[in-house]
Amino acid sequence: MPLVTINVIENVFSKEQKREMIEKVTDAMVAIEGEAMRGVTWVVVKDVKEGEWGIGGQPLGSSDVRKIQAGAA
């Protein structure tokens, strides 16, 4: 039984976006392992508090992620 954990910074993704992550990651695992695995594939989305996640030695918050998202659009 696969268990996939997705860590995200709090206040960045909506409940709907998290639901979509769970659905699409489950679909990806089923594509690899077969349809019989759908019912036993666990996906957990964990919120990490702002400032408790860092990249390049710097803490990251939701406003930083939104700036990155805006630049990628």
Side-chain angles (χ1 to χ4, degrees):
M1 295 185 295
L3 168 61
V4 180
T5 303
I6 304 169
N7 294 302
V8 297
I9 297 174
E10 67 179 354
N11 302 316
V12 173
F13 297 98
S14 68
K15 286 184 180 183
E16 175 59 29
Q17 288 172 313
K18 291 175 184 178
R19 187 204 60 75
E20 187 176 351
M21 287 178 204
I22 292 168
E23 180 182 319
K24 289 185 177 186
V25 169
T26 299
D27 288 345
M29 294 305 297
V30 168
I32 295 165
E33 298 184 349
E35 188 61 41
M37 296 304 287
R38 185 175 300 279
V40 294
T41 298
W42 295 42
V43 180
V44 177
V45 180
K46 291 186 173 186
D47 284 315
V48 177
K49 291 184 180 184
E50 295 188 57
E52 293 184 1
W53 182 305
I55 297 176
Q58 299 298 315
L60 200 64
S62 61
S63 62
D64 300 308
V65 175
R66 287 195 178 85
K67 287 177 190 173
I68 293 167
Q69 290 171 325

